Amino acid sequence: MADLVNRASAKDLAGNWTLHATGESISVPFPLPGDALSALIAAGVLPDPYVGENELAVRWPAERDWIARRSFALDAEALAYPWAIYVDGLDTVAEVRINGRLVLAAANMFRPHRAEVGNALREGDNEIEIVFRSNVAAATEAAARLPFELPYSAQMQAMPHINLLRKVQCHAGWDWNIAMMPFGLYGDIRLERIDLPAIAYVQHRQRHDAATGAVDVDVEVRIEAKAAGEELLTVELGDEKSSLQVAFTAGTTVATTTLRIENPRLWWPVGSGDQPLYDLTVTLGGAAHRQRIGLRRLEVVIKRDEIGVPLTVRINGLDLFCRGANWIPGDALPSRITPEAVRPLLEDAVAVGMNMLRIWGGGQYEPDWFYDLCDELGILVWQDMMFACALYPADNAFLAEVDREIEHQVRRLSHHASIALYCGDNEVIGALTWFEIARTNRDRYLVAYDRLSRTIELAVNRADPERLFWPSSPSKGPMDFGDAWKAEGSGDQHMWDVWHAGKSFAAYRGVRPRFASEFGFQSFVSLSTLRRYIDEEDLDIASPAMELHQKNAGGNARIVETISRYFRFPKNFENVVYLSQVQQGLAMKTGIDFWRSIKPECMGALYWQLNDTYPVASWSSIEYGGRWKLLHSMAKRFFAPINVVAIPSADIATVGLFAVNDTPSEVVVAGNAFWLSVDGARRPAGDFMKTVPVDRAVLLLTVPANGSPDEVLAFNWSDPSGEHFDHHAVSPYKALRLRDPGLVVEAAKRGGGEWCFTITVSAPAFYVALETDPYGVFSDNAVLVTPEAPVEIIWTSRSGDVDPVDSLVVHDLHSSYRPSEIVIRRAS
């Protein structure tokens, strides 16, 4: 939340531009900020790339140059002052001309560019144009200039060598993203007077007094000026205010002042406390800069212990188990990444118990408003720098550009309470082992990586020395250049053997990460979403359209093969989709339950991934457009701050029930376990009641795994949050000889866009899932319903006041492969 500009000293050039093909054969309206592909789609030049096989028809614009153009007026009074052009988020290889004169050339979308325009301006009408060079061609040309090859993952990127450009890496495609290589301008573009001092960055450091509880906030203001001068600087924080006369020199001047908050309201991640924010306002002359900050003590503990190097977030003295997911860009088309589209996704993360998101390194540094939302909602941010899954240049020019990029981004982000740590890259250490040329010449590529990593680290520490810099994800820690994908005992881990190597879900229990920062399993998107983008005749996993909407090689086959391992084979495509989502949730639950059960050895689980960039088979828990997959509903249970989890022993002879408590206070957990038969019969397995502290998981009960092939271990418990019920299948679900549960779903309108669905059964029904065509959110889904305990699920519309009943579809395991009686009726 920043207003960096004195509006009287700047001329905003955002708004209505025109986009031209270089041969002038195409000319369409082009609103800036925005991306060119969205403009071409809006004008009808391109089809909707997300529909069917249209992706193949929208790649050609990235292969040519384009010009954006507009005019603006200046009067004689304005021309009396010197001006500079300022652009932010310019994607990516581009030139800015004013009245035909080149004033700026840029090749990094991750930092702002500013250049004096000299005498390019004139009184009256002026013409400004941005020449967008083909990023595809620029990357190819950059590759030709390399002294040695810098390989990238061809499986990820349909357009080569994007690792040589400072551009969103997944714009060239990824194993969940469409390959379109969008371009445009996504931030501010304006003329600025350069004869006036400007506030470049406002940062602060907090000093918490353990004796009194007061907080001293040291505010640092970086002032940029063309010439020496003096101005009054005013800093306000809440009800506190400080004013000082600042003498500045040409270049950069740093002014500091301290404000003391006597009785601070501390900021906490969601689930651990409240998120109070204080207004911090800095004024200098006519310029103002506004931020909202949270007061909290945050550190990431990496001091070696008896196991190795932990990675534990400690906030306000509480060691926090980080529950969450990885975040990728909000849309494949940058124009569609808006607060209105993104806020519901972040709120839905909070709704299922997430307290951290990792902003992945192949995407983008998010806009200011994204981090403002995270501050407001209490979502901690693991912030990657934007390098991923490739090897990168290490020449002086590239490193100088990276240095400026990182310093800018860290200074921009450092005031946010939500930022927990900075991470140098995603899997770039690992990539040293992926390519034959790098394995053969490891010394060369290792030195190049070290130069890049060191540049990033120095820039981070210069700009924000208070927060942890973590070298890579995954990593065992500083100065360890080994591939940490399967490392245990130290650092963070990416556990991909279950998906990429086809191992069983139980393989998650075979690793003990200190922090699981990436792991995932794919599913198909729901039929309601598929039907918006795929023709009915193509709703088949082998159709060209469906295969084009699967970016991971062999992904569709892996989903289906895994279904056959755990479930009886589905009777139709609709149930393939349903079971794909059930097994995705089951996979994530298996890993997360185990890693929470070994707390504090493991202190974080961030699954891959929260969101999608477009409608695609992927690892996401929220589909493109916002609809929850079953995984997201299941996450509401397995990410509950207080939970009881069932963990089989290594020899599967017993099942342990563990309680985990991520709240700030100890709690009492009490309940009982029983064997539940497919016909509904119950056989007691034991009772439990224990006090569960906040610092470790507690074993509640050990149950011999002596259930029959037609039984699952079920358990009830109560804790301060309420009554709960869960189960654990000792054998694969396909071994159960399920009965027709006689599902009855009764729908009752509650008003305010809410409906209540009451589910009753005559025999246990596993993973009962509801789906409606109108977009809405279910309070629970994929549930076990027993004859003794009907389940009520509340559906809240996000499509206005609509009736969801006629489109309601009900699934359960039995009906996925056999005819079943399912009754849907309205309440009388």
Side-chain angles (χ1 to χ4, degrees):
M1 255 175 66
D3 182 5
L4 288 169
V5 184
N6 178 350
R7 295 303 171 190
S9 65
K11 184 172 184 61
D12 189 6
L13 297 176
N16 297 320
W17 292 57
T18 305
L19 180 67
H20 306 266
T22 50
E24 304 291 335
S25 56
I26 299 172
S27 180
V28 301
F30 187 15
L32 289 182
D35 72 87
L37 297 185
S38 291
L40 293 169
I41 293 166
V45 176
L46 297 178
D48 184 338
Y50 300 169
V51 172
E53 299 174 65
N54 287 348
E55 173 187 347
L56 304 177
V58 299
R59 292 180 178 175
W60 61 267
E63 297 172 356
R64 60 190 302 180
D65 296 347
W66 295 80
I67 300 172
R69 190 176 291 137
R70 67 160 292 176
S71 61
F72 62 93
L74 288 177
D75 57 25
E77 181 181 356
L79 278 179
Y81 302 106
W83 295 87
I85 184 74
Y86 175 96
V87 293
D88 191 16
L90 182 57
D91 181 11
T92 288
V93 180
E95 301 148 13
V96 180
R97 289 182 168 84
I98 296 178
N99 297 321
R101 184 170 299 179
L102 177 66
V103 294
L104 186 151
N108 186 343
M109 68 172 288
F110 295 136
R111 70 169 182 85
H113 301 272
R114 194 168 185 263
E116 297 182 24
V117 299
N119 58 1
L121 299 172
R122 62 194 180 205
E123 185 178 354
D125 287 339
N126 290 258
E127 185 176 84
I128 183 171
E129 63 181 25
I130 305 171
V131 180
F132 293 98
R133 300 297 181 188
S134 166
N135 292 312
V136 174
T140 301
E141 292 163 5
R145 295 192 298 267
L146 290 174
F148 55 87
E149 179 184 354
L150 289 170
Y152 61 93
S153 176
Q155 178 183 329
M156 301 292 190
Q157 297 171 6
M159 298 175 177
H161 305 302
I162 197 171
N163 54 317
L164 307 182
L165 300 184
R166 294 313 298 140
K167 174 177 173 58
V168 172
Q169 300 291 275
C170 65
H171 278 177
W174 216 262
D175 56 1
W176 39 260
N177 195 34
I178 190 170
M180 297 187 294
M181 201 75 99
F183 57 96
L185 187 144
Y186 315 132
D188 293 338
I189 179 167
R190 61 180 180 258
L191 289 173
E192 295 180 344
R193 277 177 53 182
I194 56 176
D195 58 319
L196 300 174
I199 301 171
Y201 301 99
V202 174
Q203 297 179 263
H204 74 276
R205 296 179 184 175
Q206 301 175 18
R207 291 179 285 120
H208 292 251
D209 189 322
T212 66
V215 181
D216 289 316
V217 180
D218 301 323
V219 180
E220 179 182 282
V221 184
R222 301 180 76 84
I223 301 167
E224 300 289 343
K226 180 73 171 176
E230 190 172 299
E231 286 280 4
L232 179 67
L233 178 72
T234 302
V235 180
E236 298 175 77
L237 177 61
D239 297 329
E240 304 301 315
K241 183 176 181 178
S242 173
S243 297
L244 59 157
Q245 200 72 18
V246 175
F248 49 85
T249 60
T252 301
T253 299
V254 179
T256 60
T257 188
T258 299
L259 298 98
R260 187 173 180 87
I261 306 297
E262 292 291 350
N263 297 294
R265 294 170 293 125
L266 295 183
W267 183 95
W268 289 89
V270 63
S272 299
D274 296 328
Q275 295 80 47
L277 296 170
Y278 288 75
D279 291 323
L280 174 62
T281 303
V282 177
T283 56
L284 179 76
H289 183 116
R290 299 177 181 87
Q291 298 174 347
R292 301 188 78 197
I293 70 171
L295 302 179
R296 83 286 185 273
R297 291 176 290 118
L298 187 149
E299 62 175 313
V300 181
V301 179
I302 60 170
K303 183 179 179 181
R304 182 172 291 275
D305 57 20
E306 65 277 5
I307 301 171
V309 178
L311 193 61
T312 300
V313 175
R314 180 174 294 164
I315 187 156
N316 301 326
L318 175 69
D319 285 354
L320 188 76
F321 191 100
C322 295
R323 309 179 307 270
N326 284 257
W327 173 267
I328 60 176
D331 205 291
L333 290 166
S335 291
R336 300 183 185 181
I337 302 174
T338 64
E340 294 74 23
V342 167
R343 184 182 186 108
L345 297 173
L346 300 182
E347 290 176 338
D348 286 348
V350 169
V352 300
M354 296 186 185
N355 58 21
M356 176 179 269
L357 294 175
R358 172 179 173 237
I359 298 181
W360 170 73
Q364 63 184 29
Y365 307 97
E366 294 294 335
D368 291 333
W369 52 259
F370 181 96
Y371 302 95
D372 290 337
L373 287 172
C374 290
D375 293 343
E376 174 190 333
L377 296 171
I379 301 172
L380 288 169
V381 172
W382 170 312
Q383 178 66 59
D384 279 4
M385 302 297 110
M386 294 301 122
F387 304 86
C389 298
L391 303 184
Y392 287 86
D395 59 274
N396 291 338
F398 186 86
L399 296 181
E401 191 61 52
V402 167
D403 181 76
R404 296 180 69 181
E405 167 192 322
I406 302 300
E407 180 171 356
H408 162 70
Q409 291 294 346
V410 173
R411 291 197 188 281
R412 176 178 75 95
L413 298 176
S414 65
H415 72 275
H416 288 285
S418 54
I419 301 288
L421 63 93
Y422 305 108
C423 178
D425 62 67
N426 173 78
E427 297 181 357
V428 179
I429 283 181
L432 290 168
T433 68
W434 295 358
F435 310 104
E436 177 62 29
I437 191 171
R439 292 191 295 269
T440 304
N441 300 275
R442 180 169 173 80
D443 289 353
R444 170 193 288 171
Y445 289 96
L446 182 58
V447 168
Y449 174 80
D450 183 58
R451 291 188 69 190
L452 173 64
S453 181
R454 185 65 174 157
T455 298
I456 297 170
E457 180 180 11
L458 289 172
V460 168
N461 290 338
R462 182 170 67 246
D464 187 4
E466 300 294 308
R467 284 185 179 87
L468 173 71
F469 171 78
W470 191 247
S472 181
S473 182
S475 172
K476 299 177 187 178
M479 298 308 294
D480 191 318
F481 296 101
D483 185 353
W485 270 42
K486 300 179 183 180
E488 298 181 69
S490 295
D492 69 312
Q493 183 181 41
H494 292 188
M495 203 306 191
W496 280 109
D497 279 359
V498 173
W499 174 258
H500 288 302
K503 291 187 177 181
S504 71
F505 297 167
Y508 285 125
R509 304 190 193 106
V511 296
R512 302 174 71 94
R514 305 307 299 270
F515 197 114
S517 53
E518 254 196 49
F519 56 99
F521 202 89
Q522 273 201 3
S523 71
F524 296 116
V525 298
S526 65
L527 278 176
S528 297
T529 298
L530 280 173
R531 287 188 169 117
R532 285 163 170 75
Y533 299 97
I534 307 290
D535 289 341
E536 195 74 25
E537 65 180 354
D538 288 328
L539 293 179
D540 183 297
I541 64 168
S543 73
M546 283 289 293
E547 289 185 337
L548 191 60
H549 284 75
Q550 166 62 269
K551 298 302 182 184
N552 186 245
N556 289 355
R558 189 169 296 115
I559 291 172
V560 174
E561 187 274 333
T562 306
I563 287 174
S564 71
R565 276 195 262 163
Y566 292 96
F567 306 101
R568 301 195 182 190
F569 205 76
K571 61 191 179 185
N572 54 25
F573 176 77
E574 177 180 332
N575 282 287
V576 170
V577 172
Y578 157 70
L579 288 179
S580 80
Q581 293 200 9
V582 171
Q583 76 178 7
Q584 180 190 31
L586 182 60
M588 296 300 92
K589 174 179 168 59
T590 301
I592 290 166
D593 281 358
F594 177 66
W595 295 329
R596 293 188 74 186
S597 80
I598 63 172
K599 176 184 177 180
E601 181 177 347
C602 178
M603 288 299 288
L606 310 179
Y607 65 68
W608 186 271
Q609 69 219 55
L610 180 71
N611 57 311
D612 274 329
T613 56
Y614 88 118
V616 62
S618 83
W619 301 267
S620 72
S621 64
I622 302 179
E623 299 173 4
Y624 182 77
R627 191 179 296 269
W628 290 19
K629 290 182 179 178
L630 296 183
L631 165 59
H632 206 71
S633 291
M634 294 167 74
K636 193 173 185 178
R637 300 193 292 272
F638 63 63
F639 271 154
I642 306 169
N643 201 19
V644 174
V645 300
I647 309 298
S649 59
D651 61 2
I652 65 171
T654 61
V655 178
L657 297 183
F658 293 80
V660 61
N661 170 25
D662 291 343
T663 72
S665 304
E666 66 178 27
V667 298
V668 174
V669 173
N672 64 89
F674 56 91
W675 291 100
L676 175 68
S677 172
V678 294
D679 61 10
R682 298 185 177 208
R683 186 164 55 89
D687 301 328
F688 52 84
M689 183 173 72
K690 287 193 177 181
T691 298
V692 185
V694 301
D695 62 339
R696 65 189 182 278
V698 171
L699 176 64
L700 301 171
L701 181 69
T702 300
V703 179
N706 58 2
S708 78
D710 279 336
E711 289 181 321
V712 298
L713 181 65
F715 42 100
N716 294 297
W717 77 93
S718 62
D719 60 45
S721 66
E723 303 287 331
H724 310 279
F725 175 51
D726 202 353
H727 77 281
H728 169 74
V730 176
S731 301
Y733 288 98
K734 68 181 181 180
L736 297 174
R737 292 171 292 184
L738 298 175
R739 312 293 193 261
D740 184 344
L743 276 161
V744 176
V745 181
E746 186 171 85
K749 185 173 175 59
R750 295 180 59 173
E754 284 191 354
W755 287 74
C756 178
F757 296 105
T758 302
I759 307 169
T760 57
V761 296
S762 57
F766 292 84
Y767 296 107
V768 178
L770 309 182
E771 182 180 345
T772 61
D773 187 58
Y775 172 34
V777 170
F778 294 96
S779 60
D780 205 350
N781 221 341
V783 294
L784 170 57
V785 186
T786 61
E788 297 83 4
V791 172
E792 284 190 353
I793 295 177
I794 306 303
W795 181 81
T796 303
S797 174
R798 293 186 178 175
S799 307
D801 189 10
V802 297
D803 186 332
V805 180
D806 289 341
S807 69
L808 182 67
V809 176
V810 183
H811 291 285
D812 75 305
L813 288 193
H814 184 272
S815 67
S816 72
Y817 67 93
R818 278 188 181 171
S820 301
E821 181 183 1
I822 300 176
V823 176
I824 300 172
R825 65 187 182 215
R826 297 175 186 270
S828 58

